[in-house]
Amino acid sequence: MFARRQRAVFAGSLIGLWLVFVIQAINTPVLLDDWYQLTYWRHHDFSLASLWEYGRYNYFNYNPRIGDVFLAMINGPPIVHIIVTPLVQLAVLPITFAIAFARWPRPTLADLWLLLLIQTLLWLVIPFPGVIYFYRPFATNYLWGFTITCALAVPYRLALAGNAAPSRPSALWAVPMMVLGWTAGMCNEHTGPAAMLAIAIFVWIAHRRRQLRAWMVGGALGLFIGYPMLFLAPGQSVRYAGLAVRNTPTVLLKTRGLDGCFEIVLDFLGNATFGIVFVAVAILFSLRGYRRAGERPPALPRQAVITATILLMTAGAILVTLFASPTAAERMFYAPGVLMVGAIVVVFAHLLAAPHGRRMIIVTAAVIFAFHVVRFVETYWSVKQENDDRIALLRATPKGEIAHVPPYSAHKRTRAHWGDDFRYASLREYVANEVFDLRDIAITRETRWSQPAPTDHYIATRIYDPPLPAEAAAAVAPLPYIPTYWEWTMVQFRRQLLTTELGDYQGHKLVRYTISAVGLPFVDPHQPARPVLVVDWTPRDSFQFVDGRPFDDKLGRPHIQIWHKSLPAAATEAYALDCGTTRPIALLDTDENDIGPIAPIDLACRGVHTLLVCEPTRCWLAGRYWK
Amino acid sequence: MTARQCAVGYLAATALAFAYVAFHTPPQGEDWLHLVWGAKNPASRFLIDHYTATDIIGYALAHSTALHTIATPLFATALVIGATTLALRRRVDLASWDDVGLIIVCGGLLWLATARLGVAWFHRPGAAASIYGLAFAVWAIAPLYCNWRLAWRGYALVMAVVGFVAASAARPVAIVLVIYAALAIQRSRQRTGWMVGLLIGLVGGALAVFLDRPGMDLAGFSEQIEGAINIGRETAEIISLVLVLTMARLVIVELRPRFAADCAPPDTSRALWWLLVWFVVGIVAIISPRFTEAGFAPPALVMTIAALPIFPWLMAVRPLRVLVLAIVVVAQLIGWTLSIARYRELADEYAGWLTAIDNTPVGGIVKLAPPRHVDADFFSFGGDWAEPAARQNAARWLFDRGDIVFTAAFKGFEASPELAIVLETADREALARAPARWPSVASAARADFDDFIDTLPEPDRFDGRLRVTNLTFAALAGRPVYVATSERGELAWHRVRRKRINDDYQITLEVRPDDLAAPFPETHLWVGDREVAEVIRDGGSFRVPLRSTARYVLVACDAARCFLVDAFRRQL
C-alpha cells in the first residue's frame, strides 16, 4: 500500500477510535463517586481556584491523589469530559507504544497493527475494562494516573534509546518535567515505587553514559517529591476513619501472609487470562506457519527479549507493591496490565514481522476489538438512558420527600459496566440530601443486592465555650441532614469544621460535637434509658467512636467485629438489635485474627442489624450488619 | 539411582500419599445419596438407576473405603502416566530420565492447574469422574492418538468397555472423545476392530451421560457468557507459567549462552488443537448441571497435556531445569502435606460424628457439632449435611435414628421444617408395610413414599396419601394438607423443584408436571405463624420472597383439600 494511503488509514483508524471514546464520554452515566463531585460543583463555580481549593482540601482531609482533582475537573462542565477524557484514553496507545519500542508510532500499517494489538490486549488483560475506561472515578485515578506516569518515562526511554530529537534540549524543559514528575508521583500509591525505581535507573544509566540532562533530573526530582507527598499526605491518616493508619504495610503483609500475596498474583493472572490465551494462540499459530513453510523460527532479537523482560519485571514490581497495600482491588491491576501488554507487543512485533500467522493475529485482534467496541457502546447507550431517567425522576420528586427509583436493568457489575450504584444505602441518602434536597431515595423493588436503609437517624449536639444555648449552637453552620453512617458523619463534620465557622463562632469555641442515634429499636434495661452515641469529638481527644465492621466467622456465621482499640474501656454490656428486638449478648474472643472481639448477629430477618456496646451512662453504636 | 528407580519411587510415594488421604476421606455429598439408595433399594434395581460410569464407580467408592484406598491411587497413577503418554505421543520410557522428569512435571502441573483439586481427586464422587473417568479417557484415546497397533482381537471388547466408561464419566469429555475418535478413525487408513469397538463404546457412553438427569442448563449460560473467564482463571495458570519460563529461557540463553544445551525446538504441533479441546471442554463443563469448580478437572488435564511437550525444551537450559523441578516438586510436597493434614482432621471429625450417632438411642435425634470446614476450598468438599433431607435420609436409612441436628448453624445450613407426616390409606396391608415414621421434610417424605409404593405387591392399585398433621392455620379451614398422593398407583405432587434465589430475593418452587397445580387455584403462604400474601404464582410455579429465617409453608388448595408445595427454614 502506498505511504499516503497508509497514512490515511492510520489517521482514519485513530479518528475512529477517538470518536468511539467521544461517544462513550457523552454516554457516561453519573455513578457512585461522581455524585460527590456533583455536590462540590453545586456549591462552587467551575474555576481553577475552585479546583485548587478542592485539591487542597482533599490533600489534607480526604483522598490526596491528584486523580480526584482530575475527577472533579471532568465532573464539571460536561464539555471538559467530552474533550479531555477521549484524548487521554487515546494517548494510552502511543505512550505504551513508545515505552515498548523506544520510538513514537509512525503512520504506517505495521504500526497501526501494533496499536490495534495494544488496545485489544489492554481490554483483554485488564479487569473490567469498560469500568476502568468509562467509569470516571476509575478512569481518572488509574487510567489517567498511569498514563501520566508512563508519559514521564517516555522521554527517558527515547533519550536513552537514542531516539530523542535534540541531544541538548533547553534546560527550561526541567521545569515542565518536574511538574510532570510531581504529578506522576501524586497519582497512585501502588505505582509510585516502581516508577521511582525505573526513573532512578534511567537517570543512573544516563549519568554513566554521560547523557544526563537537566530535564532528566527535573523529572526525577518531581517524582521523588510527589510520591512521598502522596504517601505521607495528611488526608491518608483521616480518610476512611484512619483505616490506612491502622493497616500499616507491615500489618498488611503479616495479615495477608504468603498465601494472600500469592493470591494477588493469581488474581492478576486470572483477570489477564483472555489476553494470555490470545498470546499463546498467536505464538502457536506463528510457529505453525513456520513449521508448514519448513522454516525454523528466527530467534527473538536481544533488544526485544530485554525490553519485554524489563517491562514484565516492572509489572511484577507493582504487583509486589500491592502486597503491602490496604486495598489490592482489581482496578489496581490496570498499571501492571499496561506494562504486561507492552511486553507482549514487543514479542508480537516480532511475530508480525514474519508472514506466518500475521493475518490470523491481526484479524483476531480486530474481531476482539470490534466486540469490545460494540459491547461498550451498546451497554453505555442503555445505561445512560436509565441514568438520565433516574436523574429526571429525582429532580421531579418534591424537596424533602423520599424518591422511589427503579433499579437499573444492568444492576450487576460486568466487564463493561459498574452496575447499580444505588445498592449502597449511604450513597442513596447522600445523593438524596446533598444533590437533590430530598429526604432519601428508595429502590422500588426489594432486591438481594441493595442495602436496606436503617430505620434510625442521627442527631448532632454541639457544645461551645463560652456556652451557647442549644438552639443557637444548632444554628451555627446549620446542616441540612446528618448522614446515618458514622464514616460520613465524620467526613461531614471535618468539612464543616474547616470550611465554616462551626469551630469558632464569634468567640465561642466548639468544645464537643456528639452524634447520637435516635429511633433505634433499643429497649434499654437501665432506666433512665441511656443515649446511644455514634461519634464523640473534642479538640483534645479528636474523634471517639466504636469501629465495628461485619465479619463472618469460619462457619460463615454473621458477626460484627470491633477493633479492640476502639472498644470503650468502661464497656459493661452489649446488645444486638435484631428484627425489632433487643438481645443482650456477650462479646467473644476470636482466634481468627487479632483485630478484636466479635458479637454474633442473628439474621432472623432481612434488614439492618445493629450492635450496641454500653457503658454505665451511655451506649455506643458499635456496628451494623445488613441482609 | 536409575531413572526407573526414580520413577517407581516417585509414583509409589504419590500413590501412598494418595492412599493415605483416600483412606481418611469421609463419605460426603453425593456419597450419601449412594449409601441411602443402597439401603433403600434391592440390588436388582442397580443398573436401572445407575448407568453412567460416574454413578457406578461413585456408588462403589461410597460403599468401599478399601476400594477408594487401593484402586483410586492406582488409577491416579494411570492418569498421570496416560497424560504424559499423550503429551509424548508414545509410550513412556521409564529408563529415560527425560521421560521420568516429564512424569514428575505432569504430576506437578496437575496440582497447579486443577481448581479444587481435593474435591476432584479425593472426594469420592469427584474421584469417580476426575480420576477414574479421566484415566479411562486418556487411555481410551492413547492408542488412536499415538498410532498404536492393537493386534489382539479381544481389544475390540476391551476398548468398547474403556470407551463406554470414559465417555459416560463426564459430558464435556464425552463430546470431545466422540468427535476426536470419529475423526481419527475416519482418517485412519487401517480401520480395525478395536477402533470400531472404541467408537461404539464412546457413543454409548456419551448417550448414557447425556440422557442422565439433570439436563444441561443452556439458559443460565447465555446470561453469563462472560463467566467463561473462569475457565481461564481456574485452569490457565499453566499458560502463564509456560510463557514466563519461555521468557526466562530466552533471557538466559541471550545472556549466558553456555547454559543452553543443544535441543530441538519444542513440539507445539498439537498444542493448538489441545487449546481448542481445552476451551470446548471448559465451556461444556460450565453449562453442565450442578457445575462446581471441581468440574474444571478435565480442562486442567487437557491444559497439562498441551503444555507438557514444551517442557523438555525449557528444561534443556540448566537453571530452568532446576527451577521447573523445584516448582513441581515443591507444589506436590506442599499439596500432599496439606492434604494429609486436612483429611486427618476430616477423618477425626467424622469419627466424632459416628461416635455421637452410636451414643444416640435408636430412633433418637443425633446432635452433632458443626463441621470445621464449612466453605469448599482447594482441598476439601466443605460443610456436609447442610440440607435437612440429606441429614434425615442418612439418619433414618443408614443409622436407624430419627434425625440429625447440628448444635450450631453454619453457612448454607437449612433447618428441618419439622412437618409431622402420616400415611392415610384404607389398604391395611400397605399400612402394615409402611414406615413407622415418615420424614419431616417434604422432599424426603415424597421420595420415601415413591419407594414405599414400589415395595407393595400391587403398586398399581394403591390408594393413599401422605398427610401433614401439624399445620393448624385458620385459612386451611379444616382442609387436609397432603404432601403426596397415589390414586391407583398414580403419583401426584411428588416432584417439586426449588430453583436458585433470584435477584429480588425470591425463591421459585416449581411443581412438575405444572398442570398438576392447576386444579388448586388457592394459594397460602405462612411465615412462622403469620400468613403473608406475597406469593407470585404462574401456573405450577410459585415465587416466594425470602425475608426471614422462620418456617415457610406454602400450600395450594381447592375447596376440599390442600397440597403442600414446600416447607423450609432457610438462612438468609
Side-chain angles (χ1 to χ4, degrees), chain A residues 267 271 273-274 276-277 280-281 284-285 287 291 300 302 305 308-309 375 411-412 415 445-448 554-555 557 603-606 627, chain B residues 226 229 232-233 239-240 243 247 250-251 254 268-269 271-272 275 278 370-371 374 408-411 501-505 546-549 572:
Chain A
D267 205 16
N271 277 295
T273 294
F274 284 151
I276 291 168
V277 171
V281 171
L284 290 171
F285 252 98
L287 290 176
R291 207 167 38 242
L300 210 57
R302 180 189 173 96
V305 172
T309 306
R375 177 110 170 82
H411 66 85
K412 282 183 189 160
R415 291 185 80 237
R445 263 183 17 231
E446 194 178 355
T447 63
R448 191 178 188 180
K554 278 181 192 160
L555 291 179
R557 293 176 301 189
L603 287 183
C605 63
R606 292 199 66 205
K627 195 75 181 178
Chain B
E226 284 178 350
I229 197 169
R233 192 186 286 269
I239 302 183
S240 306
L243 288 177
M247 207 68 211
L250 295 175
V251 173
E254 194 67 49
T268 55
S269 56
L272 271 175
L275 277 181
W278 165 76
V374 168
F410 54 90
K411 189 171 166 186
I501 297 171
N502 67 12
D503 281 335
D504 291 351
Y505 230 113
L546 287 177
R547 293 217 179 80
S548 153
T549 53
L572 293 175

Coordinates of all heavy atoms in Angstrom, one line a residue, chain A residues 267 271 273-274 276-277 280-281 284-285 287 291 300 302 305 308-309 375 411-412 415 445-448 554-555 557 603-606 627, chain B residues 226 229 232-233 239-240 243 247 250-251 254 268-269 271-272 275 278 370-371 374 408-411 501-505 546-549 572:
Chain A
D267 N -4.7 -13.6 41.1 CA -5.9 -12.8 40.7 C -5.5 -12.0 39.4 O -6.4 -11.9 38.5 CB -6.2 -11.9 41.9 CG -7.7 -11.5 41.8 OD1 -8.5 -12.2 41.1 OD2 -8.1 -10.6 42.5
N271 N -7.3 -12.5 35.8 CA -8.0 -11.4 35.1 C -7.4 -11.3 33.7 O -8.1 -10.8 32.8 CB -7.9 -10.1 35.8 CG -9.0 -10.0 36.9 OD1 -10.2 -10.0 36.6 ND2 -8.6 -10.0 38.2
T273 N -6.4 -13.6 31.8 CA -6.4 -14.9 31.2 C -6.7 -14.8 29.7 O -5.9 -15.4 28.9 CB -7.6 -15.8 31.7 OG1 -7.2 -16.0 33.1 CG2 -7.7 -17.1 31.0
F274 N -7.7 -14.0 29.3 CA -8.0 -14.0 27.9 C -6.8 -13.5 27.1 O -6.5 -13.9 26.0 CB -9.3 -13.1 27.6 CG -10.5 -13.8 28.0 CD1 -11.6 -13.0 28.4 CD2 -10.7 -15.1 27.9 CE1 -12.8 -13.7 28.7 CE2 -11.9 -15.8 28.2 CZ -13.0 -15.0 28.6
I276 N -3.7 -13.7 27.9 CA -2.6 -14.6 27.9 C -2.9 -15.8 26.9 O -2.0 -16.2 26.2 CB -2.4 -15.2 29.4 CG1 -1.9 -14.1 30.3 CG2 -1.5 -16.4 29.4 CD1 -1.9 -14.4 31.8
V277 N -4.2 -16.2 26.9 CA -4.5 -17.2 26.0 C -4.3 -16.7 24.5 O -3.8 -17.4 23.7 CB -6.0 -17.7 26.2 CG1 -6.5 -18.6 25.1 CG2 -6.1 -18.4 27.5
A280 N -0.7 -16.9 23.7 CA -0.3 -18.3 23.4 C -0.8 -18.8 22.1 O 0.0 -19.4 21.3 CB -0.9 -19.2 24.6
V281 N -2.0 -18.5 21.8 CA -2.6 -19.0 20.5 C -1.8 -18.3 19.3 O -1.5 -18.9 18.3 CB -4.1 -18.7 20.4 CG1 -4.6 -18.9 19.0 CG2 -4.8 -19.6 21.4
L284 N 1.5 -19.9 18.9 CA 1.4 -21.2 18.3 C 1.0 -21.1 16.8 O 1.6 -21.9 16.0 CB 0.4 -22.0 19.1 CG 0.8 -22.4 20.5 CD1 -0.4 -23.0 21.3 CD2 1.9 -23.4 20.5
F285 N 0.2 -20.2 16.5 CA -0.2 -20.0 15.0 C 1.1 -19.7 14.2 O 1.3 -20.2 13.1 CB -1.2 -19.0 14.9 CG -2.6 -19.5 14.5 CD1 -3.5 -19.8 15.5 CD2 -2.9 -19.9 13.2 CE1 -4.8 -20.3 15.2 CE2 -4.1 -20.4 12.9 CZ -5.0 -20.6 13.9
L287 N 4.2 -20.2 15.0 CA 5.1 -21.4 14.9 C 4.6 -22.4 13.9 O 5.4 -23.0 13.1 CB 5.2 -22.0 16.3 CG 6.0 -21.2 17.3 CD1 6.0 -21.9 18.7 CD2 7.4 -21.0 16.9
R291 N 6.4 -23.9 10.6 CA 6.6 -25.4 10.5 C 6.1 -25.8 9.1 O 6.7 -26.6 8.4 CB 5.8 -26.0 11.6 CG 6.3 -27.4 12.0 CD 5.7 -27.9 13.3 NE 4.3 -27.6 13.4 CZ 3.8 -26.9 14.4 NH1 4.6 -26.3 15.3 NH2 2.5 -26.6 14.5
L300 N 14.3 -14.4 18.9 CA 13.8 -13.1 19.2 C 15.0 -12.2 19.4 O 16.0 -12.6 20.1 CB 13.0 -13.2 20.5 CG 11.9 -12.2 20.8 CD1 10.9 -12.2 19.7 CD2 11.3 -12.5 22.2
R302 N 17.8 -9.6 20.7 CA 18.2 -9.4 22.1 C 17.5 -8.2 22.7 O 17.0 -8.3 23.9 CB 19.7 -9.2 22.1 CG 20.4 -8.9 23.4 CD 21.8 -8.5 23.2 NE 22.4 -8.1 24.5 CZ 23.1 -8.9 25.3 NH1 23.3 -10.2 24.9 NH2 23.6 -8.5 26.4
V305 N 14.0 -9.1 23.7 CA 14.0 -10.0 24.9 C 14.2 -9.2 26.2 O 13.4 -9.3 27.2 CB 15.1 -11.1 24.8 CG1 15.2 -11.9 26.1 CG2 14.8 -12.0 23.7
A308 N 11.1 -6.7 26.9 CA 9.9 -7.4 27.4 C 10.2 -7.9 28.8 O 9.3 -7.8 29.7 CB 9.6 -8.6 26.5
T309 N 11.4 -8.3 29.1 CA 11.7 -8.8 30.4 C 11.6 -7.7 31.4 O 11.0 -7.8 32.5 CB 13.1 -9.5 30.5 OG1 13.1 -10.5 29.5 CG2 13.3 -10.1 31.8
R375 N -19.8 -3.8 22.4 CA -20.3 -4.1 23.8 C -20.3 -2.8 24.6 O -21.3 -2.5 25.3 CB -19.4 -5.2 24.4 CG -19.8 -5.5 25.8 CD -20.3 -6.9 25.9 NE -20.4 -7.4 27.3 CZ -21.4 -7.1 28.1 NH1 -22.4 -6.3 27.6 NH2 -21.5 -7.6 29.3
H411 N -27.9 -4.1 36.7 CA -27.5 -3.7 38.0 C -26.2 -4.5 38.4 O -25.6 -4.1 39.4 CB -28.6 -4.0 39.0 CG -28.9 -5.5 39.2 ND1 -28.2 -6.3 40.0 CD2 -29.8 -6.3 38.5 CE1 -28.7 -7.5 39.9 NE2 -29.7 -7.5 39.0
K412 N -25.9 -5.5 37.7 CA -24.7 -6.3 38.1 C -23.5 -5.7 37.5 O -23.5 -5.1 36.5 CB -24.8 -7.7 37.6 CG -25.8 -8.6 38.3 CD -25.8 -10.0 37.7 CE -26.8 -10.8 38.4 NZ -27.2 -12.0 37.6
R415 N -17.8 -6.8 33.0 CA -16.6 -6.3 32.4 C -16.8 -4.9 31.8 O -15.9 -4.2 31.6 CB -16.0 -7.2 31.4 CG -15.5 -8.6 32.0 CD -14.8 -9.4 30.9 NE -13.5 -9.0 30.7 CZ -13.0 -8.6 29.5 NH1 -13.8 -8.6 28.5 NH2 -11.7 -8.2 29.4
R445 N -38.0 -1.8 44.1 CA -38.2 -3.2 44.4 C -37.2 -3.6 45.5 O -36.1 -3.1 45.5 CB -37.8 -4.0 43.1 CG -39.0 -4.4 42.4 CD -38.7 -5.3 41.1 NE -37.4 -5.9 41.0 CZ -36.6 -5.8 40.0 NH1 -37.0 -5.0 39.0 NH2 -35.5 -6.4 39.9
E446 N -37.6 -4.6 46.3 CA -36.7 -5.1 47.3 C -35.8 -6.1 46.6 O -36.3 -7.1 46.0 CB -37.5 -5.8 48.4 CG -36.7 -6.1 49.6 CD -37.5 -6.7 50.7 OE1 -38.7 -6.9 50.5 OE2 -37.0 -7.1 51.7
T447 N -34.5 -5.8 46.6 CA -33.6 -6.7 45.8 C -32.6 -7.3 46.7 O -32.3 -6.8 47.8 CB -32.9 -5.9 44.7 OG1 -32.1 -4.9 45.3 CG2 -33.8 -5.3 43.7
R448 N -32.0 -8.3 46.2 CA -31.0 -9.1 47.0 C -29.7 -8.3 47.2 O -29.0 -8.4 48.2 CB -30.7 -10.4 46.3 CG -29.9 -11.3 47.0 CD -29.7 -12.6 46.1 NE -29.1 -13.6 46.9 CZ -28.8 -14.8 46.4 NH1 -29.1 -15.1 45.1 NH2 -28.2 -15.7 47.1
K554 N -15.5 -18.6 60.7 CA -15.1 -19.8 59.9 C -16.4 -20.6 59.5 O -16.4 -21.2 58.4 CB -14.2 -20.7 60.6 CG -12.7 -20.3 60.6 CD -11.9 -21.2 61.4 CE -10.5 -20.7 61.6 NZ -9.9 -21.4 62.8
L555 N -17.4 -20.6 60.3 CA -18.6 -21.3 60.0 C -19.5 -20.5 59.1 O -20.7 -20.9 58.8 CB -19.3 -21.7 61.2 CG -18.6 -22.8 62.1 CD1 -19.4 -23.1 63.4 CD2 -18.4 -24.1 61.3
R557 N -20.9 -17.7 60.0 CA -22.0 -17.1 60.8 C -21.7 -15.6 60.9 O -20.6 -15.2 61.1 CB -22.0 -17.7 62.2 CG -22.5 -19.2 62.1 CD -22.4 -19.8 63.5 NE -21.1 -19.8 64.1 CZ -20.7 -20.4 65.2 NH1 -21.6 -21.1 65.8 NH2 -19.5 -20.3 65.6
L603 N -29.4 -13.3 62.1 CA -30.0 -12.8 60.9 C -31.4 -13.5 60.7 O -31.6 -14.2 59.8 CB -29.2 -13.1 59.7 CG -27.9 -12.2 59.5 CD1 -27.2 -12.6 58.2 CD2 -28.2 -10.8 59.5
A604 N -32.3 -13.2 61.6 CA -33.6 -13.9 61.6 C -34.5 -13.2 60.5 O -35.5 -13.8 60.1 CB -34.3 -13.9 62.9
C605 N -34.2 -12.0 60.2 CA -35.0 -11.3 59.2 C -34.1 -10.4 58.3 O -32.9 -10.2 58.7 CB -36.0 -10.4 59.9 SG -35.3 -9.1 60.9
R606 N -34.6 -10.0 57.2 CA -33.9 -9.1 56.3 C -33.9 -7.7 56.9 O -34.9 -7.3 57.6 CB -34.4 -9.1 54.9 CG -34.2 -10.4 54.2 CD -34.3 -10.2 52.7 NE -33.2 -9.3 52.3 CZ -33.3 -8.6 51.1 NH1 -34.4 -8.6 50.4 NH2 -32.3 -7.9 50.8
K627 N -28.7 -7.5 55.7 CA -29.0 -8.6 54.8 C -30.3 -8.2 54.0 O -31.2 -7.8 54.6 CB -29.2 -9.9 55.6 CG -29.2 -11.1 54.7 CD -27.8 -11.5 54.3 CE -27.8 -12.7 53.4 NZ -26.5 -13.0 53.0
Chain B
E226 N -19.8 -14.1 30.0 CA -18.5 -13.6 30.5 C -18.0 -14.4 31.6 O -16.8 -14.3 31.9 CB -18.6 -12.1 30.8 CG -18.7 -11.3 29.6 CD -18.8 -9.8 29.9 OE1 -19.1 -9.5 31.0 OE2 -18.7 -9.0 28.9
I229 N -14.8 -16.6 31.6 CA -13.4 -16.2 32.0 C -12.9 -17.2 33.1 O -11.7 -17.4 33.3 CB -13.4 -14.8 32.5 CG1 -11.9 -14.3 32.5 CG2 -14.0 -14.6 33.8 CD1 -11.8 -12.8 32.6
G232 N -10.4 -19.9 32.3 CA -9.0 -19.5 32.2 C -8.5 -19.2 33.6 O -7.4 -19.7 34.0
R233 N -9.3 -18.5 34.4 CA -8.9 -18.2 35.8 C -8.5 -19.5 36.6 O -7.5 -19.5 37.3 CB -10.0 -17.5 36.5 CG -9.6 -16.8 37.8 CD -10.9 -16.3 38.4 NE -11.4 -15.1 37.8 CZ -11.0 -13.9 38.1 NH1 -10.2 -13.7 39.1 NH2 -11.6 -12.8 37.5
I239 N -0.5 -21.7 31.3 CA -0.1 -20.9 30.1 C 0.9 -19.8 30.6 O 1.9 -19.6 30.0 CB -1.3 -20.3 29.4 CG1 -2.2 -21.4 28.9 CG2 -0.8 -19.5 28.2 CD1 -3.4 -20.9 28.1
S240 N 0.4 -19.1 31.7 CA 1.3 -18.1 32.2 C 2.6 -18.6 32.7 O 3.7 -18.0 32.4 CB 0.6 -17.4 33.5 OG -0.7 -17.0 33.1
L243 N 4.7 -19.3 29.6 CA 5.1 -18.1 28.9 C 6.3 -17.4 29.7 O 7.3 -17.0 29.2 CB 4.0 -17.1 28.7 CG 2.9 -17.5 27.7 CD1 1.8 -16.5 27.6 CD2 3.6 -17.6 26.3
M247 N 10.1 -16.9 28.5 CA 10.8 -15.6 28.5 C 12.1 -15.8 29.3 O 13.1 -15.3 28.8 CB 9.8 -14.6 29.3 CG 10.0 -13.2 28.9 SD 9.5 -12.9 27.2 CE 10.6 -11.6 26.8
L250 N 14.6 -17.5 27.1 CA 15.2 -16.6 26.1 C 16.2 -15.6 26.7 O 17.3 -15.4 26.2 CB 14.1 -15.7 25.4 CG 13.0 -16.5 24.6 CD1 11.9 -15.6 24.2 CD2 13.7 -17.2 23.4
V251 N 15.9 -15.1 27.9 CA 16.8 -14.2 28.6 C 18.1 -15.0 29.0 O 19.2 -14.5 28.7 CB 16.2 -13.6 29.9 CG1 17.2 -12.8 30.7 CG2 15.0 -12.7 29.5
E254 N 20.2 -15.7 26.0 CA 20.7 -14.4 25.5 C 21.9 -14.0 26.3 O 23.0 -13.6 25.8 CB 19.6 -13.4 25.5 CG 19.9 -12.1 24.7 CD 20.0 -12.4 23.2 OE1 19.0 -13.0 22.7 OE2 20.9 -12.0 22.6
T268 N 5.3 -28.1 19.3 CA 4.0 -27.4 19.5 C 3.0 -27.8 18.5 O 1.9 -27.1 18.3 CB 4.2 -25.9 19.5 OG1 4.8 -25.5 18.3 CG2 5.1 -25.5 20.7
S269 N 3.3 -28.9 17.7 CA 2.4 -29.2 16.6 C 1.0 -29.5 17.0 O 0.0 -29.2 16.2 CB 3.0 -30.3 15.8 OG 3.1 -31.4 16.7
A271 N -0.4 -28.4 20.0 CA -0.8 -27.6 21.1 C -2.0 -26.8 20.8 O -2.9 -26.6 21.7 CB 0.3 -26.6 21.5
L272 N -2.2 -26.3 19.5 CA -3.3 -25.5 19.2 C -4.6 -26.3 19.3 O -5.6 -25.9 19.8 CB -3.2 -25.0 17.8 CG -2.5 -23.6 17.6 CD1 -2.3 -23.3 16.1 CD2 -3.3 -22.5 18.3
L275 N -5.5 -26.7 22.8 CA -6.1 -25.5 23.4 C -7.6 -25.4 23.0 O -8.4 -25.0 23.8 CB -5.4 -24.3 22.8 CG -4.1 -23.9 23.6 CD1 -3.5 -22.6 23.0 CD2 -4.4 -23.6 25.1
W278 N -9.4 -27.8 25.2 CA -9.4 -27.2 26.5 C -10.6 -26.2 26.6 O -11.4 -26.2 27.5 CB -8.1 -26.4 26.8 CG -8.2 -25.4 27.9 CD1 -8.2 -25.7 29.2 CD2 -8.2 -24.0 27.8 NE1 -8.2 -24.6 30.0 CE2 -8.3 -23.5 29.1 CE3 -8.3 -23.1 26.8 CZ2 -8.3 -22.2 29.4 CZ3 -8.4 -21.7 27.0 CH2 -8.4 -21.3 28.4
P370 N -21.0 -28.6 64.5 CA -21.0 -28.3 63.0 C -19.6 -28.6 62.5 O -18.6 -28.7 63.2 CB -21.2 -26.8 63.0 CG -21.0 -26.3 64.4 CD -21.2 -27.4 65.3
P371 N -19.6 -28.8 61.1 CA -18.3 -29.1 60.5 C -17.3 -28.0 60.7 O -17.7 -26.8 60.7 CB -18.6 -29.3 59.0 CG -20.0 -28.7 58.9 CD -20.7 -28.7 60.2
V374 N -16.4 -25.3 56.6 CA -17.7 -25.0 56.0 C -17.6 -24.7 54.5 O -18.3 -25.2 53.7 CB -18.4 -23.9 56.8 CG1 -19.7 -23.4 56.0 CG2 -18.8 -24.3 58.1
A408 N -25.0 -25.9 66.2 CA -25.0 -24.5 65.7 C -25.2 -24.5 64.2 O -24.7 -25.5 63.5 CB -23.6 -23.9 66.1
A409 N -25.8 -23.4 63.8 CA -26.0 -23.3 62.3 C -24.6 -22.9 61.7 O -23.7 -22.5 62.3 CB -27.0 -22.3 62.0
F410 N -24.5 -23.2 60.4 CA -23.4 -22.7 59.6 C -23.8 -22.3 58.3 O -25.0 -22.5 57.9 CB -22.3 -23.8 59.6 CG -22.8 -25.2 59.1 CD1 -22.8 -25.4 57.7 CD2 -23.3 -26.1 59.9 CE1 -23.2 -26.7 57.2 CE2 -23.8 -27.3 59.4 CZ -23.7 -27.6 58.1
K411 N -22.9 -21.7 57.5 CA -23.2 -21.2 56.2 C -23.9 -22.3 55.3 O -23.3 -23.4 55.2 CB -21.9 -20.7 55.6 CG -22.1 -19.9 54.3 CD -20.8 -19.3 53.9 CE -20.7 -18.8 52.6 NZ -19.4 -18.4 52.2
I501 N -32.2 -18.7 44.4 CA -32.8 -17.5 44.8 C -32.4 -16.4 43.8 O -31.3 -16.3 43.4 CB -32.2 -17.1 46.2 CG1 -32.7 -18.1 47.3 CG2 -32.7 -15.7 46.6 CD1 -32.0 -17.9 48.6
N502 N -33.4 -15.6 43.3 CA -33.2 -14.7 42.3 C -32.7 -13.3 42.9 O -32.6 -13.2 44.1 CB -34.4 -14.5 41.4 CG -35.6 -13.9 42.1 OD1 -35.4 -13.4 43.2 ND2 -36.7 -13.9 41.5
D503 N -32.5 -12.3 42.0 CA -32.0 -11.0 42.5 C -33.0 -10.3 43.4 O -32.6 -9.4 44.1 CB -31.7 -10.2 41.3 CG -30.4 -10.6 40.7 OD1 -29.5 -11.1 41.4 OD2 -30.2 -10.3 39.5
D504 N -34.2 -10.6 43.3 CA -35.2 -10.0 44.2 C -35.4 -10.8 45.5 O -36.4 -10.5 46.2 CB -36.6 -9.8 43.4 CG -36.4 -8.8 42.3 OD1 -35.4 -8.1 42.2 OD2 -37.4 -8.7 41.5
Y505 N -34.5 -11.7 45.7 CA -34.5 -12.5 47.0 C -35.8 -13.3 47.0 O -36.5 -13.4 48.1 CB -34.4 -11.6 48.2 CG -33.3 -12.1 49.1 CD1 -32.2 -11.4 49.4 CD2 -33.5 -13.3 49.7 CE1 -31.2 -11.9 50.2 CE2 -32.5 -13.9 50.5 CZ -31.4 -13.1 50.8 OH -30.4 -13.7 51.5
L546 N -38.1 -14.2 50.3 CA -37.4 -14.6 51.5 C -37.1 -13.4 52.4 O -36.3 -12.6 51.9 CB -36.2 -15.4 51.2 CG -36.4 -16.8 50.6 CD1 -35.0 -17.4 50.3 CD2 -37.1 -17.7 51.6
R547 N -37.7 -13.4 53.5 CA -37.4 -12.2 54.4 C -37.0 -12.6 55.8 O -36.6 -11.8 56.6 CB -38.6 -11.3 54.5 CG -38.9 -10.6 53.2 CD -39.4 -9.2 53.4 NE -39.7 -8.6 52.2 CZ -40.8 -8.8 51.5 NH1 -41.7 -9.6 52.0 NH2 -41.0 -8.2 50.3
S548 N -37.1 -13.9 56.1 CA -37.0 -14.3 57.5 C -36.5 -15.8 57.5 O -36.6 -16.5 56.6 CB -38.4 -14.2 58.1 OG -38.5 -15.1 59.2
T549 N -35.9 -16.1 58.7 CA -35.5 -17.5 58.9 C -36.5 -18.4 59.5 O -36.3 -19.5 59.9 CB -34.2 -17.5 59.7 OG1 -34.5 -16.8 60.9 CG2 -33.0 -16.9 59.0
L572 N -30.8 -16.6 55.7 CA -30.8 -15.5 54.8 C -29.4 -15.3 54.3 O -28.4 -15.6 54.9 CB -31.3 -14.2 55.5 CG -32.8 -14.3 55.8 CD1 -33.2 -13.0 56.6 CD2 -33.7 -14.4 54.6

